[in-house]
Amino acid sequence: KAGIAYEVPGQDGWATRLESVLAVIYLIFNEGYASAGDRHIRADLCDEAIRLGRLLTELQPGEPEIEGLLSLMLLHHARRAARIGAAGEILTLETQDRSLWDRAGIREGVALVERALQRGRPGAYQLQAAIIAVHAETPSFAETDWQQIALLYGELARTADNPVYELNRIVALSYVEGPVAALARLRPIAMALVQYQPFYAVQADLFARAGQPNQARLAYRRAIDLSQSDSERRFLSGCLEALPGRPAGT
């Protein structure tokens, strides 16, 4: 009725269409990776998104952003067995058993992103995959190269005006400069992320690491209020309960 033709795009229309297709595939993957439903991980959705990513690499070989997205999904999915604890709680990178990570998936993901970046057209998916590759190849949390991760997030921020990229860069820098310096870096982006749950989770963690439990409590409660999954709420509630001391006035 709208008169929109169904047609295969020519070369001049490929880039615009590809961007939309990649975005939808990544949305499918993210719904599986951090489901808003009862199950925090829906492996079926992750597997389907990865299947579509592989299909795209066959249909359009040599396209670095397709390779970057497939790499990103493979590297994330390689940690699936270690991300949820026995009680259904979320396990952070720091607490995950890295022996459970899928090393074959990591090798494939790393090889893909390396090949993509060698093409000389770095994009958002390639840079995100490069960041996850640093984590995936690091033997332990303590050995993480946070400076390299912060630099990669800086490059990622240049691809789009996205405060979420800056938030993640600040997290990386907090392990280089310390939590107090990171809290100061949060202030300029606070208004842009006022309804973004991870902002408050990050803020709470930084307050806790900086020895400011009362401020951490407020931020954790806000993060819990904005959470959309039971696993997430359990994790944040556990962090809240682990804070030292008692709230003022109780």
Side-chain angles (χ1 to χ4, degrees), residues 13-89:
W14 173 258
T16 301
R17 302 256 189 130
L18 177 62
E19 183 178 341
S20 299
V21 170
L22 294 179
V24 170
I25 291 174
Y26 198 36
L27 282 171
I28 295 170
F29 180 84
N30 277 326
E31 176 55 27
Y33 185 75
S35 176
D38 294 336
R39 292 179 291 164
H40 188 71
I41 298 175
R42 285 194 57 188
D44 57 330
L45 287 179
C46 294
D47 289 338
E48 175 61 9
I50 289 170
R51 185 189 72 82
L52 292 172
R54 292 190 190 283
L55 179 60
L56 279 182
T57 62
E58 296 171 7
L59 293 172
Q60 190 70 12
E63 177 57 52
E65 276 292 79
I66 296 176
E67 294 169 333
L69 175 59
L70 180 56
S71 169
L72 178 60
M73 295 189 294
L74 287 168
L75 290 169
H76 273 311
H77 203 42
R79 295 192 294 111
R80 63 191 179 278
R83 290 183 55 236
I84 303 297
E89 75 279 16

Side-chain angles (χ1 to χ4, degrees), residues 94 141 144 146-147 169-179 182 205-206 209:
E94 188 171 5
F141 186 83
T144 304
W146 292 108
Q147 189 68 59
R169 189 178 79 90
I170 290 168
V171 171
L173 286 173
S174 76
Y175 292 101
V176 179
E177 303 173 347
D205 178 65
L206 293 175
R209 287 164 54 198

Side-chain angles (χ1 to χ4, degrees), residues 13-227:
W14 173 258
T16 301
R17 302 256 189 130
L18 177 62
E19 183 178 341
S20 299
V21 170
L22 294 179
V24 170
I25 291 174
Y26 198 36
L27 282 171
I28 295 170
F29 180 84
N30 277 326
E31 176 55 27
Y33 185 75
S35 176
D38 294 336
R39 292 179 291 164
H40 188 71
I41 298 175
R42 285 194 57 188
D44 57 330
L45 287 179
C46 294
D47 289 338
E48 175 61 9
I50 289 170
R51 185 189 72 82
L52 292 172
R54 292 190 190 283
L55 179 60
L56 279 182
T57 62
E58 296 171 7
L59 293 172
Q60 190 70 12
E63 177 57 52
E65 276 292 79
I66 296 176
E67 294 169 333
L69 175 59
L70 180 56
S71 169
L72 178 60
M73 295 189 294
L74 287 168
L75 290 169
H76 273 311
H77 203 42
R79 295 192 294 111
R80 63 191 179 278
R83 290 183 55 236
I84 303 297
E89 75 279 16
I90 297 172
L91 298 178
T92 64
L93 270 172
E94 188 171 5
T95 59
Q96 287 176 19
D97 179 356
R98 298 187 179 213
S99 69
L100 298 176
W101 290 4
D102 176 6
R103 291 296 160 185
I106 289 171
R107 285 193 296 271
E108 182 183 4
V110 169
L112 268 169
V113 71
E114 287 178 348
R115 184 163 69 240
L117 289 169
Q118 288 170 1
R119 301 189 192 283
R121 290 182 285 145
Y125 292 117
Q126 295 167 71
L127 291 168
Q128 290 177 77
I131 290 165
I132 304 305
V134 174
H135 286 300
E137 292 192 300
T138 302
S140 70
F141 186 83
E143 297 172 81
T144 304
D145 188 345
W146 292 108
Q147 189 68 59
Q148 183 182 0
I149 289 172
L151 289 171
L152 285 167
Y153 271 118
E155 290 298 315
L156 188 58
R158 293 187 182 93
T159 67
D161 182 16
N162 187 338
V164 174
Y165 294 156
E166 178 62 12
L167 177 64
N168 283 284
R169 189 178 79 90
I170 290 168
V171 171
L173 286 173
S174 76
Y175 292 101
V176 179
E177 303 173 347
V180 175
L183 283 165
R185 289 181 179 273
L186 283 183
R187 294 189 194 110
I189 63 171
M191 291 305 297
L193 297 173
V194 69
Q195 293 295 323
Y196 187 59
Q197 184 268 353
F199 173 84
Y200 298 98
V202 167
Q203 186 184 53
D205 178 65
L206 293 175
F207 276 132
R209 287 164 54 198
Q212 302 178 50
N214 287 337
Q215 292 91 328
R217 280 188 190 89
L218 294 173
Y220 273 129
R221 286 169 181 155
R222 180 61 175 151
I224 291 167
D225 287 344
L226 291 172
S227 293

